[in-house]
């Protein structure tokens, strides 16, 4: 018996508080007469909380089948479950109460560490076999039984299983991960920026972006190249990409000029790349084969991309 009580004490937390239970109060007048009826268990009326119907089951002399003799046993039971679908389950954290009428406080009993209980079609009630010893309950100085009257209570919180789920996957070399872009009449380009067509890679759409005279419009005499994410338009949207941008060698197909970068693309940072990709004088050097017949071939390549579902 001593070992059983120790285990019970380790799993139950008892405190006192002034404010009343949030969901249900059960006042029993002439408690001794209820016990004299010989009833093993008293089921309270039904009350609603957190969208479900419940009742309290009280064993005035203890639930002997669960070794609760010498104590009050009390349980929270879910009712009216016939309407639930097959395989239903509800996760609940709850507290049960007994009013201390002398101190004007509620003895609050709950599972240690706020254990969440799973109610389902096989297990429709949870509670405490040894809610309170009959010795303490019947001790008038404790204030639980005054003028043969006592008050029990309950409050509970249902943990809904509708949390949003997110699956982040990092994908190496996704399908169709290259973005070829031939830019014609390069020397005649007169706008600050030009965009390629859209390239769908993974579940994200991308564009390449070129500043023919550099991001600073000729001040540095360079060409600027960037990767642009079309789909990061809302604050919560983001996408990671490790990528390469290259200008291809059209003579030998060997000496491409390429650079690698990585970035988390967001609505406020939806383009990333190289403001000084290479000097224009090197680009225009015919021996390098990068600019042929006034055309250059820019290619983007996604090496790693994130996928969120």
């Amino acid at each position: 018996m001593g070992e059983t009580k120790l285990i019970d004490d380790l799993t139950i937390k008892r405190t006192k508080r002034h404010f009343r239970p949030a969901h249900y109060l059960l006042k029993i007048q002439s408690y001794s007469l209820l016990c004299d009826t010989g009833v093993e268990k008293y089921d309270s009326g039904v009350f609603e909380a957190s969208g479900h119907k419940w009742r309290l089951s009280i064993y005035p002399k203890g639930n002997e089948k669960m070794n609760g003799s010498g104590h009050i046993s009390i349980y929270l039971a879910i009712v009216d479950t016939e309407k639930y679908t097959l395989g239903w389950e509800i996760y609940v954290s709850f507290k049960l109460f007994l009013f201390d009428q002398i101190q004007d406080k509620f003895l609050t009993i709950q599972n240690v560490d706020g254990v969440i209980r799973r109610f389902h079609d096989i297990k429709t009630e949870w509670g405490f076999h040894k809610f309170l010893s009959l010795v303490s309950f019947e001790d008038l100085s404790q204030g639980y039984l005054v003028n043969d009257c006592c008050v029990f209570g309950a409050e509970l919180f249902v943990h809904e299983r509708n949390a949003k789920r997110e699956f982040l996957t990092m994908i190496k070399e996704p399908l169709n991960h290259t973005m070829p872009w031939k830019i014609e009449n390069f020397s005649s380009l007169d706008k600050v920026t030009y965009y390629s067509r859209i390239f769908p890679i993974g579940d994200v759409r991308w564009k390449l972006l070129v500043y023919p005279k550099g991001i600073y419009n000729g001040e540095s005499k360079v060409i600027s190249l960037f990767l642009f994410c079309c789909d990061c338009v809302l604050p919560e949207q983001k996408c990671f990409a490790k990528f390469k941008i290259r200008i291809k060698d059209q003579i030998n197909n060997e000496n491409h000029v390429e650079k690698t970068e990585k970035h988390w693309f967001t609505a406020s940072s939806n383009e990333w790349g190289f403001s000084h990709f290479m000097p224009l004088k090197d680009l225009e050097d015919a021996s390098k084969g990068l600019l042929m017949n006034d055309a250059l071939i820019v290619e983007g390549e996604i090496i790693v991309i994130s996928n969120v579902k």
Side-chain angles (χ1 to χ4, degrees):
M1 181 68 73
E3 182 181 357
T4 302
K5 187 176 190 308
L6 178 61
I7 293 173
D8 186 64
D9 289 341
L10 290 175
T11 59
I12 293 178
K13 178 181 178 181
R14 292 180 171 87
T15 57
K16 286 194 176 184
R17 74 183 203 190
H18 283 288
F19 53 99
R20 64 175 53 202
H23 296 120
Y24 187 65
L25 286 173
L26 169 63
K27 184 176 182 179
I28 301 177
Q29 298 274 24
S30 302
Y31 187 82
S32 61
L33 294 181
L34 173 65
C35 295
D36 288 344
T37 65
V39 63
E40 178 188 11
K41 178 182 72 167
Y42 175 76
D43 290 329
S44 77
V46 174
F47 64 95
E48 291 194 22
S50 297
H52 302 278
K53 293 183 178 181
W54 313 84
R55 67 159 43 105
L56 292 181
S57 294
I58 300 173
Y59 292 74
K61 298 297 183 180
N63 185 352
E64 295 183 2
K65 295 178 181 178
M66 301 306 295
N67 200 29
S69 299
H71 294 75
I72 292 176
S73 301
I74 183 170
Y75 304 90
L76 175 69
I78 189 168
V79 299
D80 196 23
T81 59
E82 295 82 5
K83 62 182 180 181
Y84 295 165
T85 58
L86 184 66
W88 68 269
E89 52 185 22
I90 298 172
Y91 291 80
V92 183
S93 54
F94 63 90
K95 299 175 182 178
L96 300 181
F97 301 83
L98 180 59
F99 186 44
D100 178 346
Q101 302 171 61
I102 295 177
Q103 295 187 40
D104 192 26
K105 290 182 179 181
F106 284 90
L107 174 66
T108 306
I109 299 183
Q110 64 189 109
N111 290 294
V112 170
D113 298 328
V115 172
I116 298 173
R117 297 300 190 186
R118 183 171 72 97
F119 290 74
H120 52 94
D121 52 358
I122 305 301
K123 179 70 172 176
T124 58
E125 70 174 26
W126 287 94
F128 307 102
H129 312 311
K130 298 183 178 181
F131 179 81
L132 184 70
S133 71
L134 291 175
V135 172
S136 296
F137 178 71
E138 294 168 357
D139 182 351
L140 298 182
S141 66
Q142 300 276 0
Y144 301 125
L145 189 63
V146 175
N147 296 325
D148 207 20
C149 170
C150 59
V151 180
F152 295 94
E155 69 180 30
L156 57 101
F157 178 78
V158 172
H159 299 261
E160 299 291 349
R161 302 185 66 190
N162 57 0
K164 180 181 178 181
R165 298 185 181 187
E166 178 176 309
F167 297 93
L168 171 64
T169 305
M170 306 303 291
I171 302 171
K172 186 176 182 180
E173 296 182 355
L175 294 175
N176 305 315
H177 60 283
T178 56
M179 297 170 277
W181 181 26
K182 187 174 184 179
I183 303 175
E184 307 272 7
N185 304 314
F186 182 77
S187 61
S188 302
L189 300 180
D190 55 1
K191 293 195 299 185
V192 176
T193 60
Y194 291 84
Y195 287 90
S196 73
R197 67 177 179 87
I198 292 175
F199 297 93
I201 300 177
D203 293 330
V204 182
R205 299 174 302 152
W206 304 90
K207 290 182 180 180
L208 293 172
L209 170 61
V210 63
Y211 293 77
K213 296 180 181 179
I215 195 171
Y216 303 111
N217 200 22
E219 290 183 17
S220 303
K221 300 186 185 305
V222 297
I223 182 173
S224 304
L225 290 169
F226 295 86
L227 178 64
F228 178 83
C229 180
C230 305
D231 292 337
C232 289
V233 294
L234 300 177
E236 66 271 16
Q237 292 176 318
K238 60 184 177 181
C239 181
F240 173 83
K242 181 179 180 181
F243 61 94
K244 292 180 180 180
I245 298 180
R246 66 178 64 90
I247 297 178
K248 301 195 73 171
D249 171 6
Q250 300 180 58
I251 297 177
N252 301 310
N253 199 33
E254 293 179 353
N255 300 315
H256 310 310
V257 177
E258 70 176 27
K259 293 186 177 181
T260 304
E261 194 45 284
K262 55 187 175 183
H263 182 62
W264 279 99
F265 291 82
T266 64
S268 60
S269 182
N270 57 6
E271 66 178 63
W272 200 257
F274 312 96
S275 57
H276 291 71
F277 187 82
M278 68 179 300
L280 285 174
K281 64 180 180 60
D282 292 340
L283 178 67
E284 295 165 354
D285 184 344
S287 66
K288 296 183 181 296
L290 302 174
L291 186 62
M292 299 293 294
N293 300 320
D294 204 25
L296 69 152
I297 299 175
V298 175
E299 189 173 81
E301 179 184 354
I302 301 289
I303 304 168
V304 177
I305 191 173
S306 65
N307 178 266
V308 176
K309 291 185 178 180

